[in-house]
Amino acid sequence: MTPAQAVEGAPAKDSFQFTAKLDIGSGDTARSCSAALVEQQWLITAASCFADNPAQGFKIPAGEPKLKTTATIGRTDLTRDNGTVVDVVQLVPREDRDLVLAKLAKPVSGVTPVALTNSAPMQGEELRVAGYGRTKGEWVPNVLRSSSFTVNSVAPQSMGLAGKDADAVVCKGDTGGPAFRDIAGRQELVGVNSRSWQGGCVGTDPAETRKGAIDTRVDDLAGWISTTTSRVPFDQTIVAAGDYDGDGTTDLFTVNTARDLSVWPGRKSGLWGTPRVLTGGWNFNETVSADFNGDGVSDLVASDASKNLYMWPGRKSGVYDSRKPLSTNNWAFTQMVTGDFTGDGKADIIAVDADKTLWLWPGEGRGTFADRRALSTKNWNFTQTVAADFTGDGIADLIARDDKANLLLWTGAKNADFSRARTLTGGWNFVQTTAGEFTGDGKTDIIAKDEKTGSSYMWLWNGRGDGNFSSRVKIADGS
Protein backbone atom coordinates (compact mmCIF):
# COMPACT_ATOMS: atom_id res chain seq x y z
CA MET A 1 0.00 0.00 0.00
CA THR A 2 1.44 3.39 -1.04
CA PRO A 3 0.65 6.99 -0.07
CA ALA A 4 -2.79 7.90 -1.35
CA GLN A 5 -3.07 11.02 -3.38
CA ALA A 6 -6.22 11.50 -5.51
CA VAL A 7 -9.84 10.51 -6.00
CA GLU A 8 -11.38 9.01 -9.13
CA GLY A 9 -14.92 10.34 -9.12
CA ALA A 10 -17.26 13.06 -10.28
CA PRO A 11 -16.05 16.66 -10.67
CA ALA A 12 -16.93 18.65 -7.55
CA LYS A 13 -17.63 21.82 -9.57
CA ASP A 14 -17.84 24.60 -6.94
CA SER A 15 -18.66 22.30 -4.03
CA PHE A 16 -16.25 21.46 -1.22
CA GLN A 17 -14.13 24.59 -1.79
CA PHE A 18 -12.41 23.96 1.53
CA THR A 19 -10.41 21.27 -0.30
CA ALA A 20 -7.00 22.68 -1.24
CA LYS A 21 -4.34 21.60 -3.72
CA LEU A 22 -0.75 21.57 -2.46
CA ASP A 23 2.23 21.96 -4.82
CA ILE A 24 5.38 20.92 -2.98
CA GLY A 25 8.91 21.46 -4.34
CA SER A 26 9.89 21.95 -7.97
CA GLY A 27 11.67 20.11 -10.73
CA ASP A 28 12.72 16.60 -9.76
CA THR A 29 11.44 17.10 -6.20
CA ALA A 30 7.96 18.27 -7.22
CA ARG A 31 4.93 16.48 -5.83
CA SER A 32 1.31 17.38 -5.16
CA CYS A 33 -1.14 16.61 -2.39
CA SER A 34 -4.55 17.74 -1.20
CA ALA A 35 -5.63 19.31 2.07
CA ALA A 36 -8.63 20.84 3.83
CA LEU A 37 -9.08 24.35 5.22
CA VAL A 38 -9.91 24.08 8.94
CA GLU A 39 -9.36 27.73 9.88
CA GLN A 40 -8.92 30.79 7.69
CA GLN A 41 -5.12 30.54 7.97
CA TRP A 42 -4.65 26.78 8.46
CA LEU A 43 -4.89 23.59 6.42
CA ILE A 44 -4.90 19.99 7.61
CA THR A 45 -3.23 17.34 5.49
CA ALA A 46 -1.03 14.25 5.69
CA ALA A 47 2.45 14.61 7.19
CA SER A 48 3.74 12.10 4.64
CA CYS A 49 3.25 14.76 1.96
CA PHE A 50 6.33 16.49 3.39
CA ALA A 51 8.43 13.42 4.20
CA ASP A 52 11.63 12.82 2.19
CA ASN A 53 10.40 9.30 1.42
CA PRO A 54 6.68 8.95 2.23
CA ALA A 55 6.85 5.18 1.77
CA GLN A 56 9.21 4.96 4.76
CA GLY A 57 7.12 6.92 7.25
CA PHE A 58 5.42 10.19 8.07
CA LYS A 59 7.75 11.67 10.72
CA ILE A 60 8.66 15.25 9.79
CA PRO A 61 10.11 18.19 11.75
CA ALA A 62 7.95 21.10 12.86
CA GLY A 63 8.61 24.51 11.40
CA GLU A 64 9.03 25.89 7.90
CA PRO A 65 8.53 23.31 5.12
CA LYS A 66 11.79 21.94 3.72
CA LEU A 67 10.49 22.48 0.16
CA LYS A 68 8.60 25.53 -1.04
CA THR A 69 4.90 24.72 -0.73
CA THR A 70 2.02 26.58 -2.34
CA ALA A 71 -1.67 26.05 -1.59
CA THR A 72 -4.54 26.76 -3.98
CA ILE A 73 -7.83 27.19 -2.13
CA GLY A 74 -11.33 27.95 -3.40
CA ARG A 75 -10.49 27.00 -7.00
CA THR A 76 -12.15 23.67 -7.80
CA ASP A 77 -11.32 24.14 -11.49
CA LEU A 78 -7.59 24.88 -11.71
CA THR A 79 -7.91 26.43 -15.18
CA ARG A 80 -9.75 29.37 -13.63
CA ASP A 81 -8.24 32.28 -11.71
CA ASN A 82 -10.62 32.49 -8.76
CA GLY A 83 -9.78 31.49 -5.21
CA THR A 84 -6.51 32.12 -3.42
CA VAL A 85 -2.94 30.95 -4.03
CA VAL A 86 -0.75 31.31 -0.93
CA ASP A 87 2.45 29.85 0.51
CA VAL A 88 2.60 27.43 3.42
CA VAL A 89 4.94 28.90 6.04
CA GLN A 90 4.75 26.56 9.03
CA LEU A 91 4.11 22.88 9.75
CA VAL A 92 2.81 21.48 13.06
CA PRO A 93 2.85 17.66 12.82
CA ARG A 94 1.20 15.10 15.06
CA GLU A 95 3.63 12.60 16.52
CA ASP A 96 1.15 9.71 16.66
CA ARG A 97 -0.35 9.65 13.16
CA ASP A 98 0.06 10.73 9.53
CA LEU A 99 -1.23 14.25 10.05
CA VAL A 100 0.03 17.82 10.01
CA LEU A 101 -1.43 21.31 10.33
CA ALA A 102 -0.04 23.74 7.76
CA LYS A 103 -0.13 27.49 8.39
CA LEU A 104 -0.68 29.81 5.44
CA ALA A 105 1.19 33.07 4.92
CA LYS A 106 -2.09 34.97 5.24
CA PRO A 107 -5.75 34.21 6.04
CA VAL A 108 -7.99 33.06 3.19
CA SER A 109 -11.23 34.94 2.57
CA GLY A 110 -14.33 33.80 0.75
CA VAL A 111 -14.01 30.10 1.68
CA THR A 112 -15.74 28.57 4.69
CA PRO A 113 -13.52 26.09 6.58
CA VAL A 114 -14.80 22.56 6.91
CA ALA A 115 -16.42 21.81 10.25
CA LEU A 116 -14.72 19.43 12.67
CA THR A 117 -16.63 16.44 13.96
CA ASN A 118 -16.28 14.85 17.38
CA SER A 119 -18.23 11.74 16.39
CA ALA A 120 -16.16 8.66 15.63
CA PRO A 121 -16.58 6.94 12.26
CA MET A 122 -18.82 3.88 12.31
CA GLN A 123 -18.28 0.71 10.31
CA GLY A 124 -20.63 0.78 7.33
CA GLU A 125 -20.95 4.57 7.41
CA GLU A 126 -20.81 6.45 4.13
CA LEU A 127 -18.26 9.25 3.74
CA ARG A 128 -17.29 11.46 0.83
CA VAL A 129 -13.64 11.85 -0.19
CA ALA A 130 -12.32 14.74 -2.30
CA GLY A 131 -9.01 15.32 -4.05
CA TYR A 132 -7.12 16.81 -7.00
CA GLY A 133 -5.01 13.82 -8.09
CA ARG A 134 -4.89 11.31 -10.90
CA THR A 135 -7.88 9.42 -12.28
CA LYS A 136 -8.13 6.30 -14.41
CA GLY A 137 -7.02 8.21 -17.50
CA GLU A 138 -5.55 11.59 -16.42
CA TRP A 139 -2.09 12.18 -14.95
CA VAL A 140 -2.71 15.77 -13.86
CA PRO A 141 -6.43 16.57 -13.66
CA ASN A 142 -7.44 20.22 -13.49
CA VAL A 143 -10.56 19.77 -11.39
CA LEU A 144 -11.44 18.70 -7.88
CA ARG A 145 -13.21 15.32 -7.82
CA SER A 146 -15.13 13.50 -5.13
CA SER A 147 -16.54 10.02 -4.58
CA SER A 148 -18.52 8.17 -1.92
CA PHE A 149 -16.75 5.58 0.22
CA THR A 150 -17.85 3.16 2.91
CA VAL A 151 -16.03 2.77 6.22
CA ASN A 152 -15.11 -0.92 6.37
CA SER A 153 -12.84 -0.88 9.44
CA VAL A 154 -12.11 1.43 12.38
CA ALA A 155 -8.87 1.53 14.39
CA PRO A 156 -7.95 3.97 17.20
CA GLN A 157 -6.13 6.38 14.85
CA SER A 158 -7.22 5.32 11.38
CA MET A 159 -10.06 3.86 9.32
CA GLY A 160 -10.31 1.72 6.22
CA LEU A 161 -12.37 2.89 3.25
CA ALA A 162 -13.81 1.12 0.22
CA GLY A 163 -15.45 2.79 -2.78
CA LYS A 164 -19.23 2.71 -3.02
CA ASP A 165 -18.95 1.77 -6.71
CA ALA A 166 -16.32 0.20 -8.94
CA ASP A 167 -14.92 3.52 -10.17
CA ALA A 168 -14.41 5.04 -6.70
CA VAL A 169 -10.71 4.82 -5.89
CA VAL A 170 -8.08 6.98 -4.22
CA CYS A 171 -5.17 7.56 -6.62
CA LYS A 172 -1.89 9.49 -6.72
CA GLY A 173 -2.18 13.24 -6.23
CA ASP A 174 -4.38 13.38 -3.15
CA THR A 175 -2.53 12.45 0.03
CA GLY A 176 -4.07 14.61 2.72
CA GLY A 177 -7.42 15.04 1.00
CA PRO A 178 -10.48 15.20 3.28
CA ALA A 179 -12.94 12.43 4.10
CA PHE A 180 -16.11 13.96 5.45
CA ARG A 181 -19.73 13.44 6.30
CA ASP A 182 -22.09 15.35 4.04
CA ILE A 183 -25.17 16.00 6.15
CA ALA A 184 -27.85 18.03 4.37
CA GLY A 185 -25.19 20.13 2.68
CA ARG A 186 -23.05 20.57 5.79
CA GLN A 187 -19.67 18.86 5.75
CA GLU A 188 -17.94 17.48 8.86
CA LEU A 189 -14.31 16.42 8.59
CA VAL A 190 -13.79 12.83 9.80
CA GLY A 191 -10.46 11.81 8.27
CA VAL A 192 -7.53 12.63 5.99
CA ASN A 193 -6.29 10.40 3.15
CA SER A 194 -3.09 8.58 4.06
CA ARG A 195 -2.48 5.41 1.97
CA SER A 196 -4.22 3.39 -0.75
CA TRP A 197 -3.72 0.45 -3.15
CA GLN A 198 -4.57 2.68 -6.17
CA GLY A 199 -5.95 -0.17 -8.26
CA GLY A 200 -7.16 1.12 -11.62
CA CYS A 201 -5.43 4.51 -11.37
CA VAL A 202 -3.31 5.67 -14.30
CA GLY A 203 0.34 4.73 -13.75
CA THR A 204 -0.46 1.85 -11.38
CA ASP A 205 0.58 -1.71 -12.22
CA PRO A 206 -2.36 -3.18 -14.18
CA ALA A 207 -2.09 -6.31 -12.06
CA GLU A 208 -3.04 -4.30 -8.96
CA THR A 209 -6.82 -4.54 -8.56
CA ARG A 210 -7.22 -3.53 -4.92
CA LYS A 211 -8.92 -0.15 -4.45
CA GLY A 212 -9.12 0.23 -0.68
CA ALA A 213 -7.67 3.17 1.25
CA ILE A 214 -6.55 4.03 4.77
CA ASP A 215 -7.43 7.43 6.22
CA THR A 216 -6.12 9.07 9.37
CA ARG A 217 -8.88 9.84 11.87
CA VAL A 218 -9.31 13.43 13.10
CA ASP A 219 -12.55 13.14 15.07
CA ASP A 220 -10.65 12.99 18.39
CA LEU A 221 -8.35 15.94 17.62
CA ALA A 222 -10.68 18.95 17.82
CA GLY A 223 -8.86 20.28 20.90
CA TRP A 224 -5.43 19.98 19.31
CA ILE A 225 -6.62 21.58 16.09
CA SER A 226 -8.39 24.39 17.95
CA THR A 227 -5.40 25.12 20.19
CA THR A 228 -2.94 25.08 17.30
CA THR A 229 -4.95 27.18 14.87
CA SER A 230 -6.50 29.70 17.23
CA ARG A 231 -5.62 33.32 16.78
CA VAL A 232 -5.75 35.62 19.77
CA PRO A 233 -6.52 39.34 19.88
CA PHE A 234 -3.21 40.34 21.41
CA ASP A 235 -2.60 43.36 19.19
CA GLN A 236 -6.15 44.58 19.79
CA THR A 237 -7.69 46.44 22.71
CA ILE A 238 -10.41 44.40 24.40
CA VAL A 239 -13.44 46.65 24.86
CA ALA A 240 -16.21 44.19 25.78
CA ALA A 241 -17.06 40.54 26.30
CA GLY A 242 -20.33 38.75 25.60
CA ASP A 243 -21.93 35.79 23.90
CA TYR A 244 -22.23 37.28 20.42
CA ASP A 245 -23.15 34.05 18.61
CA GLY A 246 -25.25 32.39 21.32
CA ASP A 247 -23.13 29.25 21.70
CA GLY A 248 -22.62 29.60 25.45
CA THR A 249 -18.96 30.63 25.20
CA THR A 250 -17.89 34.24 25.74
CA ASP A 251 -16.69 36.15 22.70
CA LEU A 252 -14.46 39.22 22.73
CA PHE A 253 -15.10 42.60 21.15
CA THR A 254 -11.92 44.46 20.26
CA VAL A 255 -10.79 47.68 18.60
CA ASN A 256 -7.56 48.10 16.65
CA THR A 257 -5.56 51.26 15.99
CA ALA A 258 -7.69 51.97 12.89
CA ARG A 259 -10.81 51.91 15.13
CA ASP A 260 -12.26 48.77 13.55
CA LEU A 261 -14.64 46.97 15.91
CA SER A 262 -14.24 43.19 15.64
CA VAL A 263 -15.71 40.19 17.42
CA TRP A 264 -13.55 37.12 18.16
CA PRO A 265 -15.66 33.94 18.60
CA GLY A 266 -14.73 32.11 21.78
CA ARG A 267 -13.72 28.48 21.67
CA LYS A 268 -14.02 26.08 24.58
CA SER A 269 -10.28 26.14 25.17
CA GLY A 270 -9.59 29.69 26.36
CA LEU A 271 -8.78 30.68 22.78
CA TRP A 272 -10.54 32.47 19.93
CA GLY A 273 -11.37 31.80 16.32
CA THR A 274 -11.23 33.97 13.23
CA PRO A 275 -12.32 37.54 14.00
CA ARG A 276 -15.17 39.24 12.17
CA VAL A 277 -15.04 42.98 11.57
CA LEU A 278 -18.37 44.48 12.61
CA THR A 279 -17.76 48.08 11.65
CA GLY A 280 -15.08 50.68 11.08
CA GLY A 281 -14.86 54.06 12.78
CA TRP A 282 -15.80 52.80 16.26
CA ASN A 283 -15.26 56.10 18.06
CA PHE A 284 -17.12 55.10 21.18
CA ASN A 285 -16.17 54.44 24.78
CA GLU A 286 -17.31 52.22 27.65
CA THR A 287 -18.60 49.45 25.37
CA VAL A 288 -20.56 46.63 27.03
CA SER A 289 -22.47 43.65 25.63
CA ALA A 290 -25.58 41.90 27.02
CA ASP A 291 -29.17 41.10 26.12
CA PHE A 292 -30.73 44.36 27.21
CA ASN A 293 -34.05 44.04 25.36
CA GLY A 294 -34.91 40.46 26.29
CA ASP A 295 -34.99 38.94 22.79
CA GLY A 296 -32.25 36.39 23.52
CA VAL A 297 -29.63 38.16 21.40
CA SER A 298 -26.75 40.22 22.79
CA ASP A 299 -26.85 43.97 22.21
CA LEU A 300 -24.13 46.62 22.44
CA VAL A 301 -24.15 49.77 24.56
CA ALA A 302 -21.49 52.50 24.35
CA SER A 303 -21.02 56.25 24.78
CA ASP A 304 -19.53 58.89 22.50
CA ALA A 305 -17.34 61.94 23.12
CA SER A 306 -20.44 64.16 23.44
CA LYS A 307 -21.61 62.15 26.47
CA ASN A 308 -24.44 60.40 24.60
CA LEU A 309 -25.20 56.80 25.50
CA TYR A 310 -26.46 54.51 22.72
CA MET A 311 -27.68 50.96 22.28
CA TRP A 312 -27.25 48.83 19.14
CA PRO A 313 -29.84 46.00 19.28
CA GLY A 314 -28.44 42.69 18.06
CA ARG A 315 -30.05 40.32 15.60
CA LYS A 316 -29.80 36.54 15.25
CA SER A 317 -28.22 37.11 11.83
CA GLY A 318 -25.15 38.52 13.56
CA VAL A 319 -25.69 42.15 12.59
CA TYR A 320 -26.81 45.08 14.70
CA ASP A 321 -29.71 47.45 14.18
CA SER A 322 -29.13 51.20 13.98
CA ARG A 323 -28.24 52.78 17.28
CA LYS A 324 -30.86 54.32 19.51
CA PRO A 325 -30.16 56.86 22.26
CA LEU A 326 -30.42 55.84 25.90
CA SER A 327 -29.14 59.07 27.42
CA THR A 328 -28.33 62.43 25.85
CA ASN A 329 -25.44 64.78 26.69
CA ASN A 330 -25.12 63.65 30.30
CA TRP A 331 -23.33 60.30 30.32
CA ALA A 332 -20.22 61.31 32.26
CA PHE A 333 -19.40 57.87 33.64
CA THR A 334 -16.58 55.38 33.33
CA GLN A 335 -15.82 51.71 34.08
CA MET A 336 -19.26 50.73 32.81
CA VAL A 337 -20.08 47.04 33.38
CA THR A 338 -23.20 44.96 32.90
CA GLY A 339 -24.77 41.96 34.60
CA ASP A 340 -27.83 40.82 36.51
CA PHE A 341 -27.10 42.59 39.80
CA THR A 342 -30.68 42.60 41.11
CA GLY A 343 -31.59 38.94 40.57
CA ASP A 344 -34.58 39.56 38.28
CA GLY A 345 -33.02 37.96 35.19
CA LYS A 346 -32.56 41.28 33.40
CA ALA A 347 -29.27 42.94 32.44
CA ASP A 348 -28.41 46.01 34.49
CA ILE A 349 -25.63 48.60 34.17
CA ILE A 350 -23.18 49.83 36.79
CA ALA A 351 -20.79 52.76 36.23
CA VAL A 352 -18.68 55.26 38.17
CA ASP A 353 -18.93 59.06 38.10
CA ALA A 354 -16.24 61.70 38.59
CA ASP A 355 -16.88 61.75 42.35
CA LYS A 356 -16.09 58.01 42.53
CA THR A 357 -19.70 57.14 43.28
CA LEU A 358 -20.84 53.77 42.01
CA TRP A 359 -24.26 53.91 40.33
CA LEU A 360 -26.74 51.22 39.27
CA TRP A 361 -29.24 51.50 36.39
CA PRO A 362 -31.66 48.51 36.79
CA GLY A 363 -32.56 47.00 33.43
CA GLU A 364 -36.24 46.66 32.55
CA GLY A 365 -35.71 43.91 29.99
CA ARG A 366 -36.92 45.90 26.98
CA GLY A 367 -33.91 48.05 26.20
CA THR A 368 -34.76 50.62 28.86
CA PHE A 369 -33.55 51.26 32.39
CA ALA A 370 -35.08 52.44 35.66
CA ASP A 371 -33.75 55.51 37.46
CA ARG A 372 -30.25 55.18 38.77
CA ARG A 373 -29.41 54.69 42.41
CA ALA A 374 -26.13 55.01 44.26
CA LEU A 375 -24.37 51.88 45.46
CA SER A 376 -21.54 53.65 47.27
CA THR A 377 -20.62 57.22 48.03
CA LYS A 378 -17.37 58.71 46.68
CA ASN A 379 -15.28 55.68 47.51
CA TRP A 380 -14.88 53.62 44.35
CA ASN A 381 -11.13 54.18 44.09
CA PHE A 382 -10.59 51.17 41.88
CA THR A 383 -9.74 50.44 38.27
CA GLN A 384 -10.32 47.64 35.73
CA THR A 385 -13.79 46.95 37.13
CA VAL A 386 -15.36 43.80 35.66
CA ALA A 387 -18.66 42.09 36.44
CA ALA A 388 -19.90 38.51 36.12
CA ASP A 389 -21.28 35.71 38.28
CA PHE A 390 -18.04 34.40 39.77
CA THR A 391 -19.69 32.53 42.66
CA GLY A 392 -22.32 30.52 40.76
CA ASP A 393 -25.37 31.87 42.56
CA GLY A 394 -26.94 33.58 39.55
CA ILE A 395 -26.14 37.12 40.75
CA ALA A 396 -23.39 39.22 39.17
CA ASP A 397 -20.37 40.05 41.33
CA LEU A 398 -17.69 42.74 40.93
CA ILE A 399 -13.93 42.46 40.62
CA ALA A 400 -11.56 45.44 40.51
CA ARG A 401 -7.96 46.46 41.27
CA ASP A 402 -6.98 48.93 44.01
CA ASP A 403 -4.10 51.42 43.96
CA LYS A 404 -1.78 48.86 45.57
CA ALA A 405 -2.28 46.36 42.73
CA ASN A 406 -4.51 44.08 44.80
CA LEU A 407 -7.34 42.35 42.95
CA LEU A 408 -10.55 42.39 45.00
CA LEU A 409 -13.91 40.61 44.80
CA TRP A 410 -17.29 41.96 45.93
CA THR A 411 -19.88 39.16 46.04
CA GLY A 412 -23.28 40.26 44.78
CA ALA A 413 -26.70 39.52 46.27
CA LYS A 414 -30.25 40.31 45.17
CA ASN A 415 -31.16 44.00 44.97
CA ALA A 416 -27.54 44.82 44.07
CA ASP A 417 -26.24 44.41 47.59
CA PHE A 418 -22.55 43.57 47.72
CA SER A 419 -20.43 42.00 50.41
CA ARG A 420 -17.32 43.63 51.77
CA ALA A 421 -14.38 43.28 49.44
CA ARG A 422 -12.00 40.38 49.85
CA THR A 423 -8.58 40.13 48.28
CA LEU A 424 -8.19 37.55 45.54
CA THR A 425 -4.51 38.21 44.93
CA GLY A 426 -1.82 40.82 45.21
CA GLY A 427 0.55 41.97 42.51
CA TRP A 428 -2.11 42.33 39.83
CA ASN A 429 0.26 43.80 37.26
CA PHE A 430 -2.09 43.26 34.36
CA VAL A 431 -4.29 45.34 32.06
CA GLN A 432 -7.51 44.82 30.09
CA THR A 433 -8.88 42.48 32.74
CA THR A 434 -11.92 40.77 31.21
CA ALA A 435 -14.38 38.22 32.58
CA GLY A 436 -16.26 35.52 30.70
CA GLU A 437 -16.98 31.82 30.27
CA PHE A 438 -13.96 31.09 28.08
CA THR A 439 -13.31 27.38 28.70
CA GLY A 440 -16.70 25.71 28.30
CA ASP A 441 -17.05 24.41 31.86
CA GLY A 442 -19.90 26.72 32.84
CA LYS A 443 -17.79 28.76 35.28
CA THR A 444 -16.64 32.34 34.85
CA ASP A 445 -12.97 32.92 34.10
CA ILE A 446 -10.68 35.94 33.85
CA ILE A 447 -8.21 36.91 31.14
CA ALA A 448 -5.71 39.78 31.25
CA LYS A 449 -2.57 41.02 29.54
CA ASP A 450 0.77 41.80 31.15
CA GLU A 451 1.01 45.43 32.19
CA LYS A 452 4.72 45.88 31.56
CA THR A 453 5.64 47.04 28.08
CA GLY A 454 7.52 44.31 26.25
CA SER A 455 5.98 41.47 28.30
CA SER A 456 3.82 40.24 25.47
CA TYR A 457 1.62 37.67 27.16
CA MET A 458 -2.07 37.06 27.73
CA TRP A 459 -3.09 34.92 30.70
CA LEU A 460 -6.15 32.93 31.72
CA TRP A 461 -7.33 32.28 35.27
CA ASN A 462 -9.87 29.46 35.18
CA GLY A 463 -12.82 30.09 37.49
CA ARG A 464 -13.80 27.43 40.01
CA GLY A 465 -17.37 28.68 40.37
CA ASP A 466 -16.99 29.65 44.04
CA GLY A 467 -15.28 33.02 43.67
CA ASN A 468 -11.82 31.50 43.44
CA PHE A 469 -9.55 30.83 40.48
CA SER A 470 -6.95 28.30 39.42
CA SER A 471 -3.36 29.27 38.74
CA ARG A 472 -2.86 31.33 35.63
CA VAL A 473 -2.15 29.73 32.27
CA LYS A 474 -0.42 31.51 29.39
CA ILE A 475 -2.73 31.54 26.36
CA ALA A 476 -0.96 33.99 24.06
CA ASP A 477 2.48 35.27 23.25
CA GLY A 478 2.19 38.52 21.37
CA SER A 479 5.86 38.90 20.59
Side-chain angles (χ1 to χ4, degrees), residues 149 161-163 166-170 196-200 208-213:
F149 285 75
L161 301 180
D167 289 332
V169 59
V170 178
S196 73
W197 295 108
Q198 302 179 29
E208 179 57 78
T209 60
R210 292 170 294 182
K211 298 181 178 181

Side-chain angles (χ1 to χ4, degrees), residues 12-206:
K13 296 184 179 179
D14 288 327
S15 299
F16 319 135
Q17 291 192 12
F18 52 78
T19 307
K21 184 177 188 293
L22 294 177
D23 291 300
I24 304 168
S26 61
D28 293 341
T29 65
R31 66 182 75 163
S32 65
C33 285
S34 295
L37 189 73
V38 291
E39 200 272 344
Q40 244 65 48
Q41 201 168 354
W42 289 85
L43 301 172
I44 194 167
T45 187
S48 53
C49 286
F50 300 93
D52 291 338
N53 186 346
Q56 294 183 357
F58 57 80
K59 298 291 186 179
I60 62 171
E64 184 179 355
K66 181 178 179 180
L67 301 176
K68 178 177 173 60
T69 302
T70 302
T72 302
I73 307 157
R75 185 183 299 174
T76 59
D77 182 343
L78 299 176
T79 65
R80 294 155 59 181
D81 60 0
N82 62 322
T84 301
V85 180
V86 60
D87 287 344
V88 172
V89 296
Q90 181 185 357
L91 301 176
V92 183
R94 286 283 301 191
E95 292 296 321
D96 61 343
R97 63 193 79 179
D98 186 11
L99 201 68
V100 65
L101 286 166
K103 186 177 183 180
L104 304 173
K106 63 179 181 180
V108 173
S109 61
V111 178
T112 301
V114 64
L116 302 175
T117 186
N118 57 10
S119 298
M122 302 292 292
Q123 190 162 345
E125 178 181 8
E126 181 177 335
L127 300 177
R128 183 164 287 274
V129 177
Y132 283 92
R134 297 180 188 179
T135 66
K136 290 189 298 182
E138 293 179 281
W139 285 89
V140 186
N142 284 320
V143 296
L144 175 68
R145 294 178 181 271
S146 71
S147 290
S148 294
F149 285 75
T150 300
V151 178
N152 59 13
S153 64
V154 178
Q157 298 170 353
S158 63
M159 58 184 172
L161 301 180
K164 288 277 288 183
D165 57 56
D167 289 332
V169 59
V170 178
C171 306
K172 280 189 176 296
D174 189 41
T175 296
F180 51 89
R181 297 186 179 99
D182 194 352
I183 306 172
R186 181 181 186 271
Q187 291 77 44
E188 293 182 348
L189 185 67
V190 180
V192 166
N193 296 335
S194 177
R195 307 180 304 282
S196 73
W197 295 108
Q198 302 179 29
C201 301
V202 65
T204 301
D205 185 343

Side-chain angles (χ1 to χ4, degrees), residues 388-399:
D389 178 14
F390 298 107
T391 58
D393 62 357
I395 307 295
D397 313 302
L398 293 174
I399 283 179

Side-chain angles (χ1 to χ4, degrees), residues 262-274:
S262 298
V263 61
W264 300 69
R267 293 175 170 172
K268 295 180 179 180
S269 54
L271 299 172
W272 292 271
T274 303

Side-chain angles (χ1 to χ4, degrees), residues 266-287:
R267 293 175 170 172
K268 295 180 179 180
S269 54
L271 299 172
W272 292 271
T274 303
R276 174 182 175 183
V277 176
L278 298 175
T279 184
W282 188 256
N283 296 310
F284 298 92
N285 306 305
E286 304 297 323
T287 307

Side-chain angles (χ1 to χ4, degrees), residues 226 230 242-245 247-252 263-274 437-439:
S226 175
S230 180
D243 188 3
Y244 167 79
D245 51 14
D247 66 352
T249 303
T250 303
D251 312 306
L252 295 180
V263 61
W264 300 69
R267 293 175 170 172
K268 295 180 179 180
S269 54
L271 299 172
W272 292 271
T274 303
E437 210 286 74
F438 299 117
T439 59

